[in-house]
Structure formats: C-alpha cells, structure tokens
C-alpha cells in the first residue's frame, strides 16, 4: 500500500523529564532508560525496547543501516595570479574573475533564475597596473570584491582573502581565494581572465575586444551539505515552526540540540500479520515498516554516549555484523528481497522449511495432500479452534 516510516530523535541515555515528571519528584530517573535490551520476556529472543515508542524483536528485524554524521564543507577555489602578471607586458590591462555558484538543497531567492537549478554568476573586474606584484594584486582583488558585494547584496555571499596556493589565508599571500559562506553553495565555474582589446579584428580598421581565459581556478574543496547536524535536522526533519519551537512544545525531549551531531540508524522491520488480506480469501499479510532514529553522538564512551550505547544495544539484539554502514542513505541502501522478508520472522527462506510463506499458508489452512487440521495458533481470530478446522481445498 504505502511506505510507513517513523522518525525519532534520541538525546539522552535516560528517560527524559516529561511534563509533571522531574528529578525532584522522581529520584530514580537515572534508572529509567531511554532504550534497553529486554532479555526477560522471551529468553530465546532478545528485544530492543525504546521508551514510549517501539519494540524490535530479532526475528522481525530485516536490516539495520547506519549513517554517521558529516560536517558541512564550504567550497574554496584559489587563483594563481602569476599568469595574469605575465600577460601584462607593455601597459596596464583589465583582469576579471568569473565564478558561477549553484545551490543544492536551498531555495535562497538571491540565486533565483530561469533554470531548473538555482544559481548565479559572479564577476569581479580589476585593473592590473604596471607596478603590481602578485601580492599587491591579490589585495586589490580582495578590496574590490568586498566593496562590490556590500553594494549589491548588502552582505558577502562569498568570502575573499589573500592566501597561498593551498587556499590557506595569508596576509602576504600571492594568490586570492574565493570561499563559500554556505554549505549549499557549489562552485561550477571558476576562471581567471583578462581583456584583450583586439581579440576580434575585421579588415584594417575594425576590432572588438573580449575577455579571454588565462587559467582555471584550483578547487581546493567543493561545497558539501552536512548530515546529522542541528541545521540539517531542523531543515529536513524538525521544521522551526511555532509548534516545534514554542515553550512546552510537543515531544520537547526530541528537540535537536544546537551544535550537536547525530548518527542516523534505519531499522527495517517486517512482521507476519496473519490472515487479514483483502485481495484473496485467506490472504496472508506481512507488514514492512521503516523506523529512523537520529541518536546523539557526543564523542564519549558507551556509558555516556547515546549513539554508542544504541549501537551496542542493536548488536546484542541482532548480532555483531548486522549493522550496515552506508555513505548516503538514498543511494547505498539495498532493496529487500523475498529471502530477506522470509528471514525477518524466523524463516530460512528455503522452500519446504518451516515458516516460509507457502508453509505458513499450509499450516493455517491445511493442505489437500494431508488433509490436516489447521494449527489453532495461526487460525483467524474469532473462530473456535479447539478442535481445528477441517479443510479439503486445493492450493
């Protein structure tokens, strides 16, 4: 029918202080775990329990995926000005830096255009004087760039500074570096140019100038969105609406913490629901659900770090090698197969073994081969199953 998914943020190891529940009135809050492994209900199967939310039985867990938090990166492109100095031979010339910055994951109206992807060009033109050196020209470009952005945008969309060839800031640097101010900015074009007055000449008298490219900028780093950060979770998971930011808000314990980092864990669960289908009489139904947890990673050890403790609990329930770590949740996840689904409720997947879809149907309804009585434990609810149900139908 549809993909059912939940998302939960876990900020602590212990039961959070809800309304009318606080440490002064409940001195045993430290013993109230936010999540724990239940080994007493069924000695044969361990269960991961999460306070007020879920229980995950090993037999029902299909797969678990982990994606660690990632720090955002701002683009950085550096220009070596020596080629521009070399192009200035007998007289002053005009230089230009041409950039194109595209957005990914943001709708900043400053970058609105008539294309599918938001983006805008940046041009900085400057004189290259006969007295200029690499260092003095770099400072001149920085000053002009700052004035240009202040006049047009009222604040800098791009940081500009003198640097060395690796893009490291240096007041006496001979290079100039343009760096992004936002993780959603991507640099797609970076060229160092000069104006050639006679680039296009026609007969003896007519000529037209144009900017020619001397060199491409060196991209030190490309822009990359962060993952599991406060900004990313507020943008994609917990929108900063009044309901989510007000005093005494709903699920206040799941509010992202500014400056904190969260690992993502996706638990795929599949449970056999029995005979409750609508496509055919006696149709067997399995419910498959996705449960996403963002768990605080404070860099500490298991005793104080919710992310490490959560992984340890998952390992106890589903085994050491069951957590699959991925780089990107959208491109690295594996499509679940029929064998995965069969295994999710204690089935080997091989035909003829106990628990497969075919044999569960046989067990519930009986077969024409053995004409056996149905198993009372798998028959539909509401029927008298004390003596079983005689069946003689063919499958």
């Amino acid at each position: 029918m549809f993909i059912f998914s939940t998302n939960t943020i876990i900020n602590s190891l212990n039961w959070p202080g809800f309304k009318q529940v606080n440490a002064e009135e409940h001195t045993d809050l430290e013993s109230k775990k936010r999540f724990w492994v239940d080994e007493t209900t069924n000695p044969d199967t361990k269960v991961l329990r999460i306070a007020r939310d879920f229980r995950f039985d090993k037999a029902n867990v299909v797969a678990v995926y982990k994606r660690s938090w990632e720090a955002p990166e701002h683009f950085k492109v550096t220009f070596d000005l020596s080629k521009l100095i070399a192009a200035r031979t007998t007289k002053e010339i005009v230089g230009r830096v041409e950039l194109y910055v595209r957005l990914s994951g943001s709708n900043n109206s400053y970058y609105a255009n008539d294309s599918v992807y938001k983006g805008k060009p940046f041009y900085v033109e400057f004189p290259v004087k006969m007295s200029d050196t690499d260092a003095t020209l770099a400072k001149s470009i920085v000053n002009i760039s700052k004035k240009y952005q202040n006049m047009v945008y009222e604040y800098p969309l791009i940081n500009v500074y003198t640097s060395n060839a690796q893009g490291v800031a240096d007041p006496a640097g001979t290079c100039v570096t343009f760096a992004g101010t936002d993780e959603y900015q991507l640099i797609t074009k970076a060229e160092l140019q000069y104006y050639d007055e006679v680039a296009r000449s026609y007969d003896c008298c007519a000529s037209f100038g144009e900017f020619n490219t001397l060199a491409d900028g060196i991209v030190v780093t490309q822009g990359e969105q962060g993952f599991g950060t406060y900004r990313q979770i507020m943008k994609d998971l917990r929108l900063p609406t009044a309901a989510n930011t007000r005093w005494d808000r709903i699920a206040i314990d799941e509010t992202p913490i500014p400056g904190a980092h969260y690992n993502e864990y996706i638990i795929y669960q599949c449970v056999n629901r029995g005979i409750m289908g609508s496509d055919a009489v006696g149709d067997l139904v399995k419910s498959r659900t996705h449960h996403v947890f963002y768990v605080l990673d404070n860099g500490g050890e298991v005793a104080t770090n919710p992310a490490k403790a959560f992984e340890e609990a998952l390992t106890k329930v589903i085994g050491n090698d069951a957590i699959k770590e991925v780089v990107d949740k959208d491109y690295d996840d594996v499509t679940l197969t029929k064998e995965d689904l069969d295994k999710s409720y204690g089935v080997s997947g091989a035909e003829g073994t106990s628990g497969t879809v075919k044999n569960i149907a046989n067990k519930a309804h009986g077969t024409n081969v053995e004409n056996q009585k149905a198993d009372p434990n798998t028959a539909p609810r509401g029927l008298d199953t004390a003596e079983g149900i005689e069946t003689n139908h063919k499958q």
Side-chain angles (χ1 to χ4, degrees):
M1 292 177 63
F2 56 86
I3 297 176
F4 177 81
S5 181
T6 64
N7 59 74
T8 304
I9 296 176
I10 296 179
N11 281 317
S12 64
L13 292 166
N14 303 104
W15 189 39
F18 298 114
K19 185 178 181 181
Q20 298 177 345
V21 177
N22 53 61
E24 287 75 16
E25 298 173 358
H26 295 76
T27 57
D28 61 341
L29 278 180
E30 286 298 321
S31 65
K32 306 293 186 181
K33 300 297 182 182
R34 185 69 174 88
F35 53 87
W36 68 96
V37 177
D38 184 352
E39 302 182 54
T40 59
T41 303
N42 185 351
D44 298 327
T45 304
K46 297 178 181 179
V47 177
L48 172 62
R49 293 184 178 272
I50 299 174
R52 83 169 189 275
D53 286 315
F54 311 100
R55 64 184 303 279
F56 296 101
D57 192 311
K58 177 180 181 179
N60 296 330
V61 175
V62 179
V64 177
Y65 294 95
K66 172 191 174 183
R67 184 179 176 188
S68 300
W69 68 270
E70 300 168 17
E73 292 278 357
H74 295 176
F75 81 80
K76 185 188 296 184
V77 59
T78 298
F79 293 94
D80 182 356
L81 301 177
S82 60
K83 292 184 178 180
L84 196 57
I85 295 294
R88 176 207 60 195
T89 53
T90 60
K91 63 176 182 178
E92 178 180 310
I93 61 175
V94 176
R96 182 172 79 171
V97 171
E98 180 181 352
L99 305 174
Y100 191 87
V101 178
R102 184 171 73 80
L103 289 190
S104 176
S106 173
N107 290 311
N108 189 335
S109 61
Y110 273 50
Y111 296 82
N113 56 28
D114 55 356
S115 302
V116 174
Y117 297 107
K118 284 185 169 62
K120 72 183 295 90
F122 289 87
Y123 298 98
V124 180
E125 297 182 10
F126 46 88
V128 183
K129 301 177 182 178
M130 294 301 295
S131 59
D132 276 337
T133 62
D134 295 3
T136 58
L137 181 58
K139 292 179 180 178
S140 175
I141 295 173
V142 170
N143 292 334
I144 293 173
S145 299
K146 290 181 177 179
K147 291 178 181 178
Y148 165 72
Q149 293 192 83
N150 286 337
M151 287 189 295
V152 177
Y153 304 112
E154 298 179 350
Y155 72 96
L157 297 181
I158 300 176
N159 288 326
V160 189
Y161 54 89
T162 58
S163 69
N164 59 20
Q166 289 72 43
V168 178
D170 181 359
T174 58
C175 297
V176 62
T177 294
F178 291 76
T181 57
D182 197 296
E183 62 193 271
Y184 306 112
Q185 294 174 314
L186 300 176
I187 186 73
T188 59
K189 185 177 183 180
E191 294 181 355
L192 183 64
Q193 305 169 344
Y194 78 101
Y195 188 75
D196 185 354
E197 295 179 345
V198 293
R200 298 183 182 182
S201 298
Y202 301 92
D203 58 54
C204 64
C205 308
S207 63
F208 301 92
E210 66 179 8
F211 280 96
N212 291 333
T213 300
L214 272 175
D216 293 322
I218 301 172
V219 178
V220 179
T221 57
Q222 182 59 281
E224 184 177 346
Q225 298 178 46
F227 181 80
T229 61
Y230 173 80
R231 184 175 186 182
Q232 183 263 328
I233 291 178
M234 288 299 290
K235 182 176 79 75
D236 298 336
L237 191 66
R238 294 287 189 270
L239 298 178
T241 60
N244 284 333
T245 58
R246 70 185 184 189
W247 176 79
D248 202 25
R249 53 193 170 271
I250 299 173
I252 190 171
D253 63 293
E254 292 191 24
T255 302
I257 301 172
H261 301 122
Y262 296 83
N263 293 340
E264 179 193 62
Y265 301 87
I266 304 178
I267 301 178
Y268 286 63
Q269 181 171 238
C270 183
V271 180
N272 179 34
R273 309 300 296 178
I275 305 172
M276 55 186 298
S278 59
D279 292 340
V281 175
D283 187 13
L284 292 173
V285 173
K286 288 187 290 186
S287 65
R288 184 176 64 183
T289 55
H290 306 163
H291 305 277
V292 184
F293 296 90
Y294 289 88
V295 186
L296 177 68
D297 183 359
N298 58 25
E301 297 303 320
V302 175
T304 58
N305 189 346
K308 282 192 176 182
F310 193 76
E311 280 189 45
E312 184 179 76
L314 282 171
T315 300
K316 287 182 180 179
V317 173
I318 61 179
N320 293 327
D321 301 323
I323 302 177
K324 303 173 184 178
E325 187 155 0
V326 299
V327 176
D328 187 285
K329 61 182 177 181
D330 298 320
Y331 294 100
D332 290 67
D333 286 359
V334 178
T335 303
L336 302 179
T337 64
K338 177 180 177 300
E339 288 73 23
D340 291 328
L341 297 178
D342 283 339
K343 290 178 183 178
S344 68
Y345 51 91
V347 179
S348 65
E351 180 133 352
T353 57
S354 173
T356 59
V357 173
K358 179 178 179 180
N359 286 293
I360 286 177
N362 292 343
K363 193 175 182 182
H365 301 295
T367 66
N368 63 317
V369 178
E370 300 177 359
N371 193 27
Q372 65 184 17
K373 292 182 178 180
D375 187 333
N377 294 324
T378 57
R381 293 182 178 178
L383 297 179
D384 183 5
T385 58
E387 299 297 327
I389 304 171
E390 289 288 343
T391 61
N392 193 27
H393 70 283
K394 294 184 178 181
Q395 296 199 3

